[in-house]
Amino acid sequence: MTVNDLCCDRCSKRLFGLADPEEPNIEQFSPNLGIRFMYHPGNLELKDDSGTMCHSCWAKTKQELGDPSISEVCSICQTRLDKTHSFHVVRLGEIKTWRLCNTHAVEFLNKLETVEPKIDPKDFYLPS
């Protein structure tokens, strides 16, 4: 869990602290603060809320994921998703989430330095 060692989960850059989730644009003024995020498979009991990224990796991730929404489709490929059978990513302190299908959930997770070993897409499934 890199929230404990204050390194970016995506590039391993050392961070100087954590951005306040109540200040959503703080990274513009303090780019060396970590941005906290969480993800879960449609069930908050299974969440991992220890995610941390540097400003540039978070910006890259947001660009890859597109706009967060409340719709029931994958944020990337627009595949229709079941509410409890999709992967959710959210910045802590925000309401709207990115919802991902199995394929894009694996892509997201495999970009994280904290996911070892990397996930084989054919072995990944979301609990129902």
Side-chain angles (χ1 to χ4, degrees):
M1 294 190 284
T2 57
V3 73
N4 291 327
D5 67 9
L6 286 178
C7 290
C8 175
D9 283 354
R10 193 161 164 170
C11 73
S12 299
K13 174 184 174 182
R14 191 86 166 128
L15 302 168
F16 298 143
L18 298 173
D20 182 348
E22 300 297 319
E23 297 287 341
N25 296 317
I26 191 74
E27 61 269 14
Q28 293 175 359
F29 309 106
S30 301
N32 293 319
L33 293 179
I35 296 166
R36 299 273 318 274
F37 66 95
M38 82 167 171
Y39 52 87
H40 62 83
N43 179 344
L44 279 173
E45 291 178 12
L46 302 174
K47 73 181 179 206
D48 181 336
D49 62 358
S50 65
T52 308
M53 284 191 202
C54 67
H55 170 66
S56 62
C57 286
W58 183 249
K60 193 180 306 180
T61 298
K62 286 189 342 182
Q63 183 178 21
E64 292 167 359
L65 297 178
D67 292 327
S69 72
I70 55 171
S71 65
E72 295 183 8
V73 297
C74 175
S75 295
I76 297 172
C77 69
Q78 307 304 306
T79 299
R80 190 124 180 91
L81 302 169
D82 181 283
K83 183 174 185 176
T84 59
H85 197 71
S86 60
F87 189 79
H88 300 248
V89 178
V90 63
R91 178 179 175 170
L92 292 186
E94 293 187 3
I95 297 170
K96 290 186 177 179
T97 67
W98 289 275
R99 294 181 63 195
L100 304 175
C101 64
N102 274 22
T103 301
H104 292 111
V106 170
E107 286 180 13
F108 171 82
L109 290 168
N110 281 342
K111 288 179 182 174
L112 301 177
E113 294 286 324
T114 52
V115 174
E116 283 297 333
K118 297 303 179 193
I119 301 165
D120 186 334
K122 71 178 188 300
D123 295 334
F124 183 80
Y125 67 93
L126 293 165
S128 9

